[in-house]
Amino acid sequence: PGSAFQPEEGEAADRLAVHLLQAMISAAKADGHVTPDERARIDGQLANLGLEDDAAALIAAELDAPFDVDRIAALAGSEAEAAQIYAVSLLAIDPDGAAEQGYLALLAARLQLDPGLVDHLHARARTLR
């Protein structure tokens, strides 16, 4: 708590939660559609992000938003947030699909993530699946 990974400030915490939700939905759209499994993963994270009241409207707006990896990468205000955006994107999708792998590679490049960190995030994600 109180770190860049878990801000205590209400506005900063809310902003991070919204950015992470946007990243998850963008990743789910990487192959041109959101599968029921991907939607269930996103819905399952809503309680963790603390977006109960406005979550449905936010999800609908993001699902309708044009697919734009640069917009998602631009949400990162710090290295910590860039890593979190990548991690939730990875967790929201099946990373074995070709389109998803391409999206993740492009996102990592746009976020300027160290390849070692990307490998670490993938290893951690495998333990969570």
Side-chain angles (χ1 to χ4, degrees):
S3 73
F5 291 99
Q6 192 177 0
E8 289 181 6
E9 182 184 319
E11 185 177 317
D14 289 348
R15 185 176 48 253
L16 177 60
V18 169
H19 290 173
L20 296 180
L21 182 59
Q22 289 172 301
M24 285 189 290
I25 293 171
S26 180
K29 294 189 317 186
D31 61 357
H33 65 282
V34 178
T35 67
D37 187 47
E38 289 168 336
R39 180 63 188 256
R41 288 182 202 164
I42 292 166
D43 289 343
Q45 292 299 316
L46 291 179
N48 294 339
L49 295 176
L51 298 174
E52 294 96 16
D53 295 338
D54 297 327
L58 182 61
I59 289 171
E62 277 305 311
L63 288 170
D64 292 338
F67 180 75
D68 184 355
V69 69
D70 291 324
R71 178 179 67 90
I72 299 303
L75 296 173
S78 67
E79 278 187 66
E81 192 170 356
Q84 288 175 293
I85 285 172
Y86 187 86
V88 298
S89 298
L90 176 60
L91 291 171
I93 61 173
D94 175 3
D96 295 327
E100 290 85 350
Q101 288 177 357
Y103 176 79
L104 290 170
L106 184 58
L107 182 62
R110 295 293 198 275
L111 291 168
Q112 300 179 18
L113 294 177
D114 180 89
L117 175 58
V118 171
D119 290 343
H120 174 75
L121 293 172
H122 278 264
R124 292 289 297 148
R126 281 190 294 276
T127 67
L128 299 173
R129 291 196 188 269

